[in-house]
Amino acid sequence: MSGSTDTTPRTGTGSDLTVVVPAYNEEHRLRPTLDAICAHLRADPERWGDWELIVVDDGSTDGTAEVAAQAAADEPRVQVLTSEENRGKGHALRLGVLASYGRRVLVTDADLATPIEELDALDDLLHDDEDEDEDEEDCDYEYEYEATAAVIGSRALPDSRVEVRQRPVREWLGRLGNRLIRLVAVRGIHDTQCGFKLFDGDKARAAFAASRLDGWGIDVEILRHFRRAGWPVAEVPVRWSHQSGSKVRPADYGRVLLELLRLRTRLRPADLAVGVLFLLSSVLLYKGLWADLDRAYLADSMQDQNQWEWFFGVTADNVAHLRNPLFTTYQGHPDGVNLMANTVMLGLSVPLTPVTLLLGPTVTWALVLTLGLTATAVAWYWLFVRRVTRVRPAAAVGAALAAFAPPMMSHGTAHPNFLVLFMIPVIIDRALRLCEPGAGGRRLVRDGVLLGLFATYQIFLGEEPLLLAAMGMLIFALAYALARPDVARATWRPLLRGLGVALAVCLPLVAFPLYWQFFGPQSYHSVLHGDNAGNSPLSFLEFSGRALLGDEERADTLAMNRTEQNAFYGWPLTALTFGIVVWLGRSALVKAVTGTVLVAALLSLGQKIRIPFTDVVLPGPWRALAHQPLFESVIESRVAMICAPALGVLIALAAA
């Protein structure tokens, strides 16, 4: 029959096996291939049961469609799907797999370079694993067994038989391309581009439904999907013969790499539009600074703008003269200043040294604020699209709240270390990868190493924001464990192992800078700010002083100063959040995020909680942390900043 381009996956179990054959201009080779497949399946009806063969004509310009139609007329179990235009092998495979009903799905190329008889070896492996899995269900003890979900007919295993080889140069280029693909995308699989694969039907339909690539790269995309889902993939050696007229060229391996790069970046026009919107918003916020870089001064920064420009200038001078960037005698001579013990943001001030030397520290200050805020918003957007919702407008709204929330804007006048947080979403994502199914082995080590490197860099951007982020992640993890104890039991071991790897990478890299910070010249161990630095409960309902509906005098009475309005989310957002929690409260994610918001808000009230409109003062939970190492230097009202991305998640979920 003739099909359309419907991409809705089938969920029925109408057949035991589906064979999918993509075809583009295969007029001469297609009929022998279809006849061979049908003959093999007819020969053992007890083994193959009820089967179907789906041919997908990918917009051929020759007689491929007519050949397929004739085969369908001769054998009712042959179906033909047609695409109006040539979209690529990936698109054709997606159409065929999503139209399938088979309990198992075989995909094979139209040239049948791997003979159909090799299906038996692939099926034996899937069949044996499935039987073993069923046997375990009958046992009287608990045992987890994950059956093989896909089997690749591999040309690259030692026992594989290559009966007709390609030309030596072509074969060498193919091997080189395959190694690059394995290095970039799928480690541990020898033959990523094999066209002969047998899948568990339901898992195949789920993977192809989630796929995006239309070209040759779909083979790797599907294997990556299986790996990330924790579905085991096996390889078996097969016979293979190079077929004259093959459409696979050595250059196609380069195209696969380009497709995979596009897949990894996942950049869409909507993503670019969101990034531009965030940039324009940041420029608008700091337009007064950019309009007069010689004299403009942020109104609420007090003396902080002077301090930061000095930080950028002295760091650039140290780098230019190859001096220790952790120390300077340009203040407090001859004792000097311990720069590591101050918020100099070496992670940006050092790389931006050329800008500071050429254009001056004020330009660096403006760039850090504007581009840093933009990068932070884009990073939250990337995380929300990846982890919260695929609905990009919803993710953009949530990311905007996470990056442009009132507390962030308060610090945006004076404290770029609390505004420039683009590494925090990256760190969160890498930590979540350690909790994904299949996290282990090389992947766990890789993710742990990257997490350690990311944390190291964040230390040179801001240690206190990293500490607050770690607190937020810990609170979320505990809350999610209460909501989903089954997930917690499955993930805590790989998570702890990955965190151990991260610490093993991070600690040696930061050992000397931290030693200098806490034990070097002019070092100190804590910042005294009293026991009344917590938020008032009213501050969560109040607008910040610079908000459209804000009142500066009223806001000033509820905060240490205008750069520390850390909890001014306003009553409309608070009411909206309450409504979202009631509406979506059955979701484990919503429960965990809500718990994170409540605990962070409570901690931010400080050591003493003053009940509004009364003289009642209660002890706050921060009292238990106030005098602990590291926490003794934290201004507790800043803990409320953890609420910003958490509220962003709730807004994104509701908008989606």
Side-chain angles (χ1 to χ4, degrees):
M1 69 178 181
S2 178
S4 64
T5 58
D6 178 26
T7 58
T8 303
R10 305 292 187 253
T11 57
T13 55
S15 62
D16 297 299
L17 174 71
T18 300
V19 180
V20 178
V21 180
Y24 174 66
N25 288 349
E26 295 285 358
E27 177 182 5
H28 300 293
R29 294 191 297 190
L30 183 60
R31 187 57 191 259
T33 293
L34 300 181
D35 290 343
I37 294 173
C38 292
H40 184 74
L41 300 181
R42 291 192 200 106
D44 194 350
E46 184 175 345
R47 176 169 191 170
W48 304 118
D50 185 15
W51 56 269
E52 61 178 350
L53 173 56
I54 299 177
V55 182
V56 185
D57 172 34
D58 187 29
S60 299
T61 57
D62 62 359
T64 297
E66 290 76 10
V67 171
Q70 184 59 50
D74 296 339
E75 170 54 73
R77 287 172 287 191
V78 175
Q79 303 177 38
V80 181
L81 300 178
T82 58
S83 177
E84 294 181 357
E85 58 179 339
N86 177 237
R87 296 278 298 276
K89 178 185 176 182
H91 179 72
L93 282 175
R94 183 159 47 246
L95 290 181
V97 172
L98 296 185
S100 69
Y101 285 97
R103 185 166 53 89
R104 298 173 190 178
V105 174
L106 173 74
V107 297
T108 181
D109 293 335
D111 60 9
L112 218 58
T114 299
I116 189 61
E117 291 76 15
E118 298 298 315
L119 170 61
D120 297 3
L122 277 65
D123 182 69
D124 286 341
L125 183 54
L126 271 184
H127 186 74
D128 289 345
D129 275 348
E130 186 176 82
D131 288 347
E132 188 171 348
D133 195 25
E134 291 173 354
D135 291 342
E136 296 299 342
E137 293 178 1
D138 297 331
C139 293
D140 58 359
Y141 56 88
E142 193 173 321
Y143 181 83
E144 283 193 15
Y145 182 83
E146 185 71 28
T148 300
V151 184
I152 299 172
S154 177
R155 302 162 292 182
L157 296 177
D159 294 334
S160 302
R161 290 162 290 170
V162 179
E163 297 176 346
V164 178
R165 293 188 174 275
Q166 307 174 72
R167 292 192 301 272
V169 173
R170 181 188 176 110
E171 185 171 339
W172 180 84
L173 290 173
R175 288 180 179 177
L176 177 62
N178 184 55
R179 289 179 181 176
L180 289 173
I181 292 170
R182 289 163 54 194
L183 180 66
V184 169
V186 184
R187 297 175 183 269
I189 293 179
H190 296 81
D191 193 350
T192 59
Q193 299 309 110
C194 162
F196 197 79
K197 300 182 181 73
L198 182 65
F199 298 98
D200 174 328
D202 289 337
K203 291 180 172 61
R205 285 181 281 273
F208 277 90
S211 66
R212 292 174 46 213
L213 298 181
D214 289 339
W216 302 102
I218 197 168
D219 291 299
V220 180
E221 185 182 13
I222 296 302
L223 293 177
R224 288 183 64 202
H225 185 98
F226 271 66
R227 280 287 182 82
R228 290 183 173 181
W231 300 335
V233 177
E235 289 183 272
V236 297
V238 295
R239 290 182 293 140
W240 182 84
S241 300
H242 172 65
Q243 303 294 313
S244 60
S246 171
K247 295 180 175 60
V248 181
R249 300 288 184 267
D252 290 327
Y253 288 94
R255 296 190 183 97
V256 171
L257 289 171
L258 291 176
E259 286 183 327
L260 294 175
L261 179 62
R262 183 171 67 87
L263 179 66
R264 291 179 74 92
T265 58
R266 299 172 184 257
L267 184 63
R268 298 183 179 182
D271 300 331
L272 183 60
V274 169
V276 171
L277 181 61
F278 287 152
L279 176 60
L280 291 176
S281 300
S282 300
V283 171
L284 180 63
L285 282 170
Y286 292 108
K287 61 180 176 57
L289 181 60
W290 284 103
D292 189 0
L293 288 171
D294 289 333
R295 293 174 296 178
Y297 198 92
L298 297 180
D300 291 338
S301 74
M302 299 183 289
Q303 300 298 317
D304 285 335
Q305 181 170 336
N306 284 336
Q307 172 186 270
W308 279 97
E309 291 185 14
W310 184 81
F311 281 159
F312 292 134
V314 75
T315 300
D317 187 74
N318 278 339
V319 172
H321 293 88
L322 302 180
R323 290 194 291 263
N324 180 6
L326 308 181
F327 188 78
T328 184
T329 57
Y330 281 180
Q331 279 192 30
H333 185 82
D335 296 328
V337 175
N338 188 326
L339 294 178
M340 189 63 197
N342 286 270
T343 53
V344 294
M345 294 185 75
L346 294 171
L348 288 178
S349 59
V350 171
L352 290 175
T353 290
V355 175
T356 305
L357 295 176
L358 291 174
L359 303 176
T362 306
V363 174
T364 303
W365 164 250
L367 280 174
V368 167
L369 291 173
T370 307
L371 298 185
L373 177 57
T374 303
T376 301
V378 169
W380 284 120
Y381 170 73
W382 168 80
L383 180 68
F384 287 1
V385 168
R386 183 176 177 81
R387 299 290 180 178
V388 179
T389 174
R390 296 287 186 180
V391 181
R392 280 164 160 74
V397 172
L401 176 58
F404 295 88
M408 307 305 172
M409 296 298 93
S410 173
H411 286 277
T413 64
H415 306 147
N417 54 317
F418 280 98
L419 183 78
V420 182
L421 304 175
F422 58 84
M423 287 304 301
I424 300 300
V426 178
I427 290 171
I428 293 173
D429 176 73
R430 193 57 55 172
L432 290 174
R433 287 177 185 240
L434 296 172
C435 303
E436 292 176 347
R442 292 183 178 179
R443 176 181 165 187
L444 184 146
V445 173
R446 178 197 64 191
D447 289 335
V449 168
L450 289 174
L451 179 59
L453 294 175
F454 295 157
T456 299
Y457 183 56
Q458 176 59 43
I459 286 173
F460 292 104
L461 292 176
E463 295 169 81
E464 190 173 347
L466 179 60
L467 177 61
L468 294 178
M471 288 178 58
M473 293 165 67
L474 177 60
I475 296 169
F476 174 84
L478 294 175
Y480 198 87
L482 291 175
R484 290 292 305 273
D486 56 325
V487 175
R489 286 192 296 269
T491 58
W492 73 269
R493 286 186 179 88
L495 176 60
L496 289 182
R497 287 198 295 267
L499 293 177
V501 173
L503 287 174
V505 171
C506 178
L507 291 179
L509 295 175
V510 300
F512 179 75
L514 292 183
Y515 168 81
W516 188 276
Q517 175 178 344
F518 293 106
F519 304 102
Q522 300 301 99
S523 60
Y524 56 88
H525 296 281
S526 65
V527 177
L528 301 177
H529 51 265
D531 59 358
N532 292 311
N535 291 313
S536 166
L538 293 176
S539 62
F540 286 91
L541 304 176
E542 186 60 68
F543 294 103
S544 64
R546 294 289 185 178
L548 293 177
L549 301 178
D551 184 293
E552 292 183 0
E553 292 185 7
R554 189 161 61 245
D556 287 344
T557 64
L558 296 173
M560 293 176 62
N561 55 64
R562 291 184 180 178
T563 69
E564 296 289 348
Q565 295 179 356
N566 295 310
F568 288 69
Y569 293 100
W571 65 263
L573 179 58
T574 303
L576 177 61
T577 301
F578 179 79
I580 293 171
V581 172
V582 172
W583 175 30
L584 303 176
R586 296 181 62 183
S587 163
L589 176 58
V590 171
K591 291 177 182 178
V593 171
T594 303
T596 304
V597 171
L598 293 176
V599 173
L602 183 62
L603 288 172
S604 77
L605 300 181
Q607 301 181 57
K608 299 178 180 179
I609 302 177
R610 301 181 183 276
I611 305 302
F613 312 116
T614 73
D615 295 327
V616 177
V617 178
L618 301 176
W622 185 259
R623 177 173 295 184
L625 297 173
H627 303 292
Q628 301 302 318
L630 300 182
F631 292 96
E632 60 190 357
S633 296
V634 174
I635 296 177
E636 50 264 41
S637 66
R638 293 175 176 175
V639 179
M641 298 173 71
I642 294 173
C643 299
L647 293 174
V649 170
L650 294 177
I651 294 296
L653 288 172

